[in-house]
Amino acid sequence: MLVRLLYVSRAVDKDCTQAIESILESSRQHNLGNGITGVLCYGGGVFLQAIEGGRSAVNTLYNHIVADKRHSDVVLLHYEEIAERRFGGWTMGTVNLSKLNTSIVLKYSERPEFDPYAVSGKVSLALLEELMATASIIGRA
């Protein structure tokens, strides 16, 4: 059974460039062999990540993420059983939230800076869908 999970967290290190590189490297190595796909968005010290795959693999990965010392304030935004993957082309695609077009952000947010803590999981997922449709996600596997 496939599931999709969406969470938000804060980077412990405000200059999270090194953490992002580390997360992406370990994600891409781990995810391919475990049937996990998804996208990692980052910016302003915040991570927004969607992960898809088998229920057991996704749940195990999420528990690992919650315990990961590179994150704090981990909040589960959305969890659902799915018939098909939306981010199946990426072992872990990336989006820099601070470089998004303001008009796209304002479509889903009260302010020109996207804050996943201030919107519903469905809104965050809708933004990810639009980013995918506009080819804003990089790192296709």
Side-chain angles (χ1 to χ4, degrees), residues 98-138:
S98 61
K99 293 187 177 186
L100 292 181
N101 182 313
T102 303
S103 63
I104 290 176
V105 173
L106 286 173
K107 185 174 176 180
Y108 299 98
S109 176
E110 294 177 16
R111 304 177 43 84
E113 303 83 29
F114 187 71
D115 179 5
Y117 286 100
V119 299
S120 72
K122 288 188 179 202
V123 167
S124 293
L125 196 54
L127 172 65
L128 291 179
E129 297 267 348
E130 180 149 343
L131 295 176
M132 188 171 66
T134 59
S136 297
I137 299 174
I138 61 172

Side-chain angles (χ1 to χ4, degrees), residues 3-140:
V3 298
R4 179 179 304 118
L5 181 150
L6 182 66
Y7 77 89
V8 64
S9 66
R10 296 193 193 284
V12 170
D13 181 3
K14 292 304 173 201
D15 178 23
C16 58
T17 305
Q18 194 170 27
I20 292 164
E21 305 250 341
S22 174
I23 290 168
L24 287 173
E25 183 179 333
S26 61
S27 293
R28 289 176 176 148
Q29 289 175 1
H30 171 268
N31 292 355
L32 185 60
N34 289 285
I36 293 175
T37 57
V39 61
L40 173 67
C41 303
Y42 57 88
V46 172
F47 296 115
L48 173 66
Q49 186 171 29
I51 52 178
E52 301 170 323
R55 183 184 348 205
S56 178
V58 168
N59 292 348
T60 299
L61 177 57
Y62 181 68
N63 287 330
H64 176 76
I65 289 166
V66 169
D68 190 325
K69 300 298 183 202
R70 296 172 291 193
H71 303 264
S72 67
D73 302 326
V74 180
V75 175
L76 180 64
L77 297 176
H78 188 78
Y79 186 95
E80 67 179 329
E81 294 175 352
I82 57 175
E84 63 184 30
R85 297 171 192 256
R86 288 297 293 136
F87 307 106
W90 295 274
T91 52
M92 194 49 59
T94 59
V95 175
N96 186 336
L97 291 173
S98 61
K99 293 187 177 186
L100 292 181
N101 182 313
T102 303
S103 63
I104 290 176
V105 173
L106 286 173
K107 185 174 176 180
Y108 299 98
S109 176
E110 294 177 16
R111 304 177 43 84
E113 303 83 29
F114 187 71
D115 179 5
Y117 286 100
V119 299
S120 72
K122 288 188 179 202
V123 167
S124 293
L125 196 54
L127 172 65
L128 291 179
E129 297 267 348
E130 180 149 343
L131 295 176
M132 188 171 66
T134 59
S136 297
I137 299 174
I138 61 172
R140 185 172 281 278

